[in-house]
Amino acid sequence: MGDHKEQPLRVGAAVRRRRRALNLTLAVVAERSGLSVPFLSQVENDRARPSQSSLEKVADALRTTAVELLAAADPACSVDVVRADTTDLEPEPRTRSLVRGHHQMHASEYTGDHDAGRELQHRNDQLMYVADGAVEIEAEGRAYRLGRGDTLYLTGGVRHRWRATVPETRIVVVAVAEHIEAVRDRPGR
């Protein structure tokens, strides 16, 4: 009772809308992402579900984020429960959206390792909280080691990368959504 959205998330329509808004062909997105045209077509038609890694490649090719594509795939609700025992979890490493829909804030849970070589830069501020395990985060030329219960706040625009240093590490990332104009002119930018 009170729960809704028992249907699995369908990101295909959001990918197609974004691609068309940018006037890109599937071939261009395939070239930019390194994924095949047939696979992208299957994703857009919800006949294939991309892994988190593939979704990030598609998002990069479409000049957005995986979180934004997922948010655009699911209508926003004023009250929504995201159950911990969701069947949408992938094998490790896993990513689980904690906030569904197109909202002002997004939250995701990452379990396991992460592509440590992938540099990230978000438009708006974000907070990283280590729920279990430990991570190393590189930001602005410094390495930060965080353990269970530690948090790191990143101002929007800060380039960073992170990696789990303990198996089964679980972090929660809460961020102001990319579509929100929360960034003001900051010194040094």
Side-chain angles (χ1 to χ4, degrees), residues 55-133:
L55 187 59
E56 287 172 356
K57 290 176 183 178
V58 170
D60 288 347
L62 295 173
R63 296 185 181 106
T64 189
T65 65
V67 170
E68 285 295 320
L69 286 175
L70 290 170
D74 211 4
C77 296
S78 59
V79 176
D80 189 18
V81 174
V82 179
R83 298 283 179 199
D85 62 347
T86 181
T87 58
D88 289 347
L89 292 178
E90 304 168 10
E92 191 175 322
R94 298 183 304 262
T95 302
R96 182 168 71 100
S97 181
L98 302 176
V99 176
R100 295 183 284 202
H102 201 62
H103 291 285
Q104 294 181 9
M105 181 176 59
H106 293 293
S108 298
E109 177 185 70
Y110 298 88
T111 303
D113 209 355
H114 177 71
D115 180 2
R118 185 167 189 253
E119 187 174 66
L120 305 167
Q121 182 179 27
H122 300 281
R123 173 184 174 143
N124 294 318
D125 297 0
Q126 70 175 19
L127 176 85
M128 299 176 83
Y129 169 75
V130 181
D132 285 309

Side-chain angles (χ1 to χ4, degrees), residues 1-12:
M1 185 169 97
D3 290 356
H4 64 290
K5 299 184 183 180
E6 298 301 324
Q7 300 285 330
L9 186 64
R10 300 189 191 283
V11 73

Side-chain angles (χ1 to χ4, degrees), residues 16-38:
R16 183 183 307 109
R17 280 191 305 272
R18 177 69 180 177
R19 178 179 62 78
R20 287 180 176 167
L22 295 172
N23 293 316
L24 299 175
T25 65
L26 278 174
V28 169
V29 176
E31 182 180 325
R32 288 181 180 179
S33 67
L35 302 170
S36 71
V37 171

Side-chain angles (χ1 to χ4, degrees), residues 39-59:
F39 175 71
L40 291 171
S41 176
Q42 289 179 344
V43 167
E44 284 194 0
N45 291 299
D46 288 316
R47 290 191 307 257
R49 184 170 163 198
S51 66
Q52 182 65 27
S53 174
S54 293
L55 187 59
E56 287 172 356
K57 290 176 183 178
V58 170

